[in-house]
């Protein structure tokens, strides 16, 4: 008991009261049987770590199919919303009291909505390209040095 008190400190035990692996590895083992059992345990650990688990292809395929189904449902919802919105706008435009036929109003409304959507897309892409070009021009790769980079873990 006295030997245990002298060699044990509060920092070398875990909350359950067992000695941690690091402390056990640091202490010299005087009992040959205990040394052999620890060597066997360590060998078993290393063999278990070296063997890779067989890939579970059925689970991977199930997960892939589920992800595909979710993406397909989300895409269908987006398309249905866009179509419903277009039909709503075209229907409301057809009910306007104009001098030309309602079919012409519907067609013209649909064409204008499509063209304005395409124009908005192009403008958005141009803005993104301009921002990327401006950011790269402000900080070209030649001006960067190793001192400019923050290493991982630096304050």
């Amino acid at each position: 008991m006295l030997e245990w008190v002298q060699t044990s400190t509060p920092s070398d035990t875990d909350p359950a009261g067992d000695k941690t692996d690091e402390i056990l590895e640091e202490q010299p083992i005087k009992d040959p049987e205990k040394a052999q059992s620890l060597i066997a345990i360590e060998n078993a650990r290393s063999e278990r770590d070296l063997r890779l688990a067989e890939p579970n292809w059925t689970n991977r395929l199930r997960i892939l199919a589920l992800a595909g189904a979710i993406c397909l449902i989300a895409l269908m919802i987006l398309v249905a919303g866009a179509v419903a919105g277009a039909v709503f706008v075209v229907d409301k435009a057809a009910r306007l009291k104009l001098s030309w036929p309602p079919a012409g109003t519907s067609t013209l409304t649909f064409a204008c909505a499509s063209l304005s959507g395409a124009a908005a897309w192009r403008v958005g892409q141009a803005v993104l390209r301009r921002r990327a070009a401006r950011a790269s021009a402000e900080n070209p790769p030649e001006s960067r040095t190793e001192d400019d980079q923050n290493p991982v873990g630096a304050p």
Side-chain angles (χ1 to χ4, degrees), residues 3 6-7 11 27 32-33 35-36 39 43 51 62 65-66 75 83 92 103 105 122 129 136 139-140 151:
E3 181 182 328
Q6 291 172 346
T7 60
S11 64
Q27 292 178 349
E33 291 178 14
Q36 290 300 321
I39 290 171
N43 287 339
R51 287 183 305 210
R62 285 180 186 159
L66 182 62
L75 182 65
V83 168
K92 293 298 178 186
T105 304
R122 295 279 296 199
R129 275 194 299 270
S136 64
N139 193 10

Side-chain angles (χ1 to χ4, degrees), residues 54-69:
E54 292 289 325
N56 193 347
W57 293 106
T58 55
N59 280 346
R60 286 187 179 183
L61 288 175
R62 285 180 186 159
I63 291 171
L64 184 63
L66 182 62

Side-chain angles (χ1 to χ4, degrees), residues 20-116:
T20 58
D21 289 339
E22 293 84 17
I23 299 302
L24 285 176
E25 289 172 0
E26 291 174 3
Q27 292 178 349
I29 301 171
K30 297 176 181 152
D31 185 15
E33 291 178 14
K34 190 173 183 180
Q36 290 300 321
S37 68
L38 287 176
I39 290 171
I41 290 170
E42 194 60 35
N43 287 339
R45 270 190 202 162
S46 64
E47 287 176 11
R48 183 181 58 218
D49 291 343
L50 292 177
R51 287 183 305 210
L52 295 176
E54 292 289 325
N56 193 347
W57 293 106
T58 55
N59 280 346
R60 286 187 179 183
L61 288 175
R62 285 180 186 159
I63 291 171
L64 184 63
L66 182 62
I70 289 171
C71 289
L72 187 63
I73 290 170
L75 182 65
M76 287 174 26
I77 289 171
L78 287 173
V79 168
V83 168
V87 168
F88 176 77
V89 168
V90 168
D91 181 54
K92 293 298 178 186
R95 292 184 183 184
L96 292 174
K97 306 287 187 206
L98 298 174
S99 60
W100 54 82
T105 304
S106 299
T107 305
L108 188 62
T109 302
F110 185 71
C112 289
S114 299
L115 289 174
S116 64

Side-chain angles (χ1 to χ4, degrees), residues 136-151:
S136 64
E138 289 174 356
N139 193 10
E142 302 85 37
S143 69
R144 296 184 200 143
T145 64
E146 288 297 318
D147 294 337
D148 292 341
Q149 304 295 324
N150 287 335

